[in-house]
Amino acid sequence: MMSRQGVGLITILCVVTFSGWQVASINGQDGSASKSKTGGAAKKPATKSSNASKKGVTGKGSSENPFPKRIPSAGLEGGTDWLNTSGEITLKDLRGKIVLLDFWTYCCINCMHILPDLTYLEKKYPNELVVVGVHSGKFNNEKDSENIRRAILRYEIEHPVVNDANMTIWRKFSINTWPSFALIDPEGNFCGTLSGEGNRDNLDVVIGRVVAYHRAKGTLDETPVRFDLEAGKSTATPLRFPGKIYADEAGKRLFISDSNHNRIVVTDLTGELQYVIGSGAIGSQDGAYDVAQFDHPQGMDLSGNLLYVADTENHKIRVVDLEQKQVKTLAGTGKQSRLFLQGGRPLQTSLASPWDVKKVGEKLFIAMAGFHQIWTLNGTESVRVFAGSGKEDIQNGSLTRAALAQPSGITTDGEYLFVVDSEGSAVRKMSTTLAGQVNTLIGTHDLPQGRCLFEFGDLDGVGGQARLQHPLGIAHHKGKLYVADTYNHKIKVVDIGERSVRTLLGARQPGVMETEFSEPAGLSIAGNKLYIADTNNHRIRVYDLGTQKLSTLELTGLTPPKPTTSDDTEPSDLKAIEVADQTVKSGDQLRFQVTLAIPEDFKLNELAPVTYRLMAEGAQSVIDAKHLNQRDEATVSGHVATIAVPAASKTGKGNFQLQVTYSYCRDGKGGVCKFKTTAWKIPLIVAENAEQEEISLQVE
């Protein structure tokens, strides 16, 4: 958990009701309080759930408000852009919902760790809770909305996100660490804040209590809401955010971590597909290539016929036997550790976001980003800490006393390890033996109060005068280090002896042109060619170190995994309204007129169609089967939807179910859109002498 001090419009009043939650009161509205942004020391994540998850709210039931000292909440105004939604969102739009604000920055490993918790809560409370991500960026690169949009896609986030580039909302809620949460009740009242990871149980208990209270009070709106997600606007690509790459010169192969496709792609050095390791489905299953599963894998290293893989979001180390074509788990339990451990038996020790691996002799070195440490895996005997105190900082010293900051790339010259510490924007050097020291080649170190975490930029130079911005990849070649300076969208070269760095490739701004990159994250060298995982551009670049020519590797034979689709438009508990027998006059079409219910102050969503699905219940002789069981669009005029289905015969009968789905929002143009699905059971007779020409239905 990273700290960033700053006093804003809300000050802490007291701690009540739930362990870890802080309740606040408004302290003026002019923003005249101090706006200090000095970096504080990093803190360890929570190691266990609070007492709230065990004891609830001092034994009180749903008739008692779990936050009796709540106050009117500050608003969500102040962001520069809204993402994962079609428009700006206000707390008025969310009235009736429990709102959980997630203050995050996409570089932060702790912020990544809470995303599964948020997904869990969103699925458990689909109609009661709305999560809003407040992206208050640390790095300059993270303040750009397009970069945030790509991070939303990479992390597969499915809730709205506001770009709080100027940290306006951050200050309103007096936040000072990433990640932090603020809870707002269905009446628009601010309940309190909570910081750090490992709080799923705490949040679950609190949200459950707030749901119970406001459901009993009648102030909870459980109408489903959906948002216009960025994922719906993106197109499929053969690679999806490739994170790391390994070039095998002897075997003339490339191993590509196709991270968001949850697989390892193997090509030859010209880009022709050889085979794929992993089914593409998220999971942790061992086995043959076509059934094995990964969860956003990152770094790899090859030793003989064994490919070692940092299976990052499974919190595991996997090994691929390239001869037997099998995937096996070497270390990790599949659950993220919340404790700073010293190690243990490999399959019995929980890990935390391993990001890269490097084999040296009999040891596999692991860049353990989630622990801010380097670990070693010693065969099947043990996995344990090698370097780093666990404190998130850039401090030199002995292996046990030195501090690292989210190590995300690791390489070696055989004698030393070289590591990029992404959160400290530094390149570190340490011996491969236990007697060594940790030193800093590029970037600052040993500054007071964690200031190293906020000393970043784009400056070539020597040692502590040079600046990087969140580097993720590193490769050693002929006495030099090649660094993926990720948030500067550049590739840089470090002279180890001189401790100097210079720009080799790229521009400061992201791009897709031939000389541009977008957050490159992985590097590897084979022969005289540097292979680059151009992550946000979903491509692999090749730089010839001799001719100094840069090109894009043309991948042949590779396609995206087949998507898994599901129709979740209708709620699982949808019950159809039974209507009286309907006898209608025969004709070319069977027509329905459905009057939609739109609440006051809302408008029908202009950006989304009104859809319907007609299904037969048993035998029928009225509608051709090709017009059944499929989702079609209705014609809309005002609040009335007209549905016309071609008839198959002049007379006949059958029992049908009609489902109609539509959405509405305050201005009719997106933002927070509430969805409603209504179904009717309709016994139907079509007769030539009938007087009724259409079926009229009303949404309640």
Side-chain angles (χ1 to χ4, degrees), residues 332-386:
T333 64
K335 294 183 179 180
Q336 179 205 338
S337 175
R338 303 293 186 185
L339 302 171
F340 284 98
L341 306 172
Q342 292 301 310
R345 302 286 294 181
L347 295 176
Q348 298 170 7
T349 302
S350 295
L351 309 179
S353 299
W355 212 272
D356 203 1
V357 291
K358 181 60 62 176
K359 190 79 181 297
V360 181
E362 297 301 315
K363 292 182 179 179
L364 183 72
F365 289 88
I366 305 166
M368 198 73 74
F371 285 146
H372 311 294
Q373 295 172 321
I374 302 299
W375 282 45
T376 56
L377 175 64
N378 303 290
T380 60
E381 296 300 315
S382 67
V383 59
R384 62 181 59 257
V385 176
F386 176 78

Side-chain angles (χ1 to χ4, degrees), residues 212-396:
Y213 172 75
H214 286 278
R215 182 178 285 151
K217 188 179 179 182
T219 47
L220 184 68
D221 180 359
E222 298 184 67
T223 305
V225 296
R226 289 187 178 87
F227 302 97
D228 188 14
L229 301 181
E230 303 299 329
K233 308 169 192 175
S234 63
T235 57
T237 50
L239 296 177
R240 194 69 174 164
F241 297 105
K244 298 286 187 181
I245 189 168
Y246 181 86
D248 172 24
E249 182 177 0
K252 299 180 179 179
R253 296 173 292 186
L254 288 179
F255 296 89
I256 305 167
S257 280
D258 192 7
S259 301
N260 276 57
H261 283 153
N262 307 293
R263 62 185 185 176
I264 307 297
V265 171
V266 185
T267 73
D268 65 16
L269 296 180
T270 67
E272 183 175 348
L273 180 66
Q274 303 295 299
Y275 48 91
V276 173
I277 305 170
S279 67
I282 292 178
S284 58
Q285 183 173 332
D286 290 341
Y289 290 174
D290 59 340
V291 299
Q293 298 171 329
F294 299 90
D295 191 347
H296 296 77
Q298 290 288 336
M300 302 161 291
D301 196 25
L302 184 66
S303 178
N305 285 320
L306 299 179
L307 180 74
Y308 297 92
V309 181
D311 194 3
T312 303
E313 295 192 25
N314 269 327
H315 309 288
K316 287 185 173 184
I317 301 299
R318 314 288 290 280
V319 63
V320 182
D321 188 317
L322 300 175
E323 185 175 357
Q324 299 297 321
K325 299 182 179 181
Q326 293 285 316
V327 178
K328 182 181 177 182
T329 299
L330 285 183
T333 64
K335 294 183 179 180
Q336 179 205 338
S337 175
R338 303 293 186 185
L339 302 171
F340 284 98
L341 306 172
Q342 292 301 310
R345 302 286 294 181
L347 295 176
Q348 298 170 7
T349 302
S350 295
L351 309 179
S353 299
W355 212 272
D356 203 1
V357 291
K358 181 60 62 176
K359 190 79 181 297
V360 181
E362 297 301 315
K363 292 182 179 179
L364 183 72
F365 289 88
I366 305 166
M368 198 73 74
F371 285 146
H372 311 294
Q373 295 172 321
I374 302 299
W375 282 45
T376 56
L377 175 64
N378 303 290
T380 60
E381 296 300 315
S382 67
V383 59
R384 62 181 59 257
V385 176
F386 176 78
S389 64
K391 179 182 179 181
E392 185 179 12
D393 205 346
I394 304 296
Q395 295 179 350
N396 291 344

Side-chain angles (χ1 to χ4, degrees), residues 507-521:
R508 185 171 296 181
Q509 296 300 319
V512 297
M513 302 299 289
E514 190 63 28
T515 58
E516 296 175 323
F517 301 90
S518 182
E519 297 192 6

Side-chain angles (χ1 to χ4, degrees), residues 16 92 95 272 474 536:
V16 297
K92 183 180 179 182
R95 192 60 55 88
E272 183 175 348
I474 189 168
N536 283 358

Side-chain angles (χ1 to χ4, degrees), residues 462-477:
V462 178
Q465 303 302 313
R467 292 291 184 271
L468 306 172
Q469 189 179 183
H470 198 77
L472 289 175
I474 189 168
H476 177 270
H477 183 66

